[in-house]
Amino acid sequence: MSDTARLREDFQTELRGLLDAMARATSGLAPGPRRLLVGVEAFWEACYRRRDAAERILQSARNLDSEQDLARRALILERLLASELRACGVVAAETLAPDLAAEIAAVTRAECFAAQRLPALRRRLIGFVESRTGLPSLWTAVAA
C-alpha cells in the first residue's frame, strides 16, 4: 500500500471515530443548544483521546502534501455545525459555521500541543457561540 493510500485510510478511520463519538454522545438528544454543546464536547474529547494518532496523520499529511483531506475534515465539521445551528433556530447558521469550526479546531490544536484539556479555552468558545447566535446560555441548557 502506498503512503498516500495508507494516509487516506488512517484519515478515514480517524474521521469515522470522531463522527461515531459525536453520534454516540448526542444520540437521543433533541435538536437544540444542549445537543450542540454535547456534540462539540464529544468532538473535543475524542480528539484529545486520539491526539497521538491525529498528530501522526497531520505529520504524514504535511509530508505528502495532503491538504485536501484535512480540508475535507474541516468541511464535514462545518456542515455538522451548520445543521446543529439550524436546528437551534440560528438564522445565519451557514455563515457562522466556518468561524465556529475554526474556533473549535483552534481549541483542539491547543489541547493537543499542551497535552491537557484547556477548560478556559472551551468556556471562551461557548461564550463565542452564545454571543454570535443569541442562543440562551449553553451552560444553562446543559444543566436542564
Side-chain angles (χ1 to χ4, degrees):
M1 180 183 294
S2 74
D3 288 344
T4 303
R6 189 171 23 263
L7 173 63
R8 283 211 165 85
E9 186 177 303
D10 289 350
F11 172 79
Q12 291 298 327
T13 300
E14 286 303 308
L15 182 58
R16 277 192 298 277
L18 292 174
L19 296 175
D20 287 348
M22 292 173 71
R24 280 191 308 276
T26 59
S27 176
L29 295 177
R34 182 169 191 261
R35 187 169 78 177
L36 174 65
L37 182 59
V38 168
V40 169
E41 190 73 30
F43 175 82
W44 279 329
E45 287 302 310
C47 287
Y48 184 78
R49 285 190 304 274
R50 303 164 83 95
R51 65 189 179 278
D52 292 337
E55 182 55 36
R56 181 179 44 75
I57 290 170
L58 288 172
Q59 188 59 44
S60 296
R62 285 184 204 107
N63 293 340
L64 294 173
D65 207 19
S66 294
E67 290 297 316
Q68 294 166 340
D69 282 337
L70 299 176
R72 248 188 27 213
R73 181 176 174 175
L75 185 59
I76 290 168
L77 179 59
E78 285 178 25
R79 287 179 180 162
L80 286 169
L81 290 169
S83 174
E84 287 299 320
L85 290 168
R86 275 193 308 277
C88 292
V90 175
V91 177
E94 281 73 20
T95 57
L96 179 59
D99 292 342
L100 182 54
E103 291 292 322
I104 291 169
V107 172
T108 302
R109 278 191 301 279
E111 290 186 342
C112 285
F113 287 124
Q116 64 180 355
R117 291 172 183 85
L118 301 171
L121 289 182
R122 291 181 180 198
R123 282 191 299 274
R124 183 181 61 95
L125 180 81
I126 300 308
F128 170 84
V129 172
E130 291 172 352
S131 70
R132 297 284 302 273
T133 63
L135 291 173
S137 172
L138 295 177
W139 299 118
T140 303
V142 170

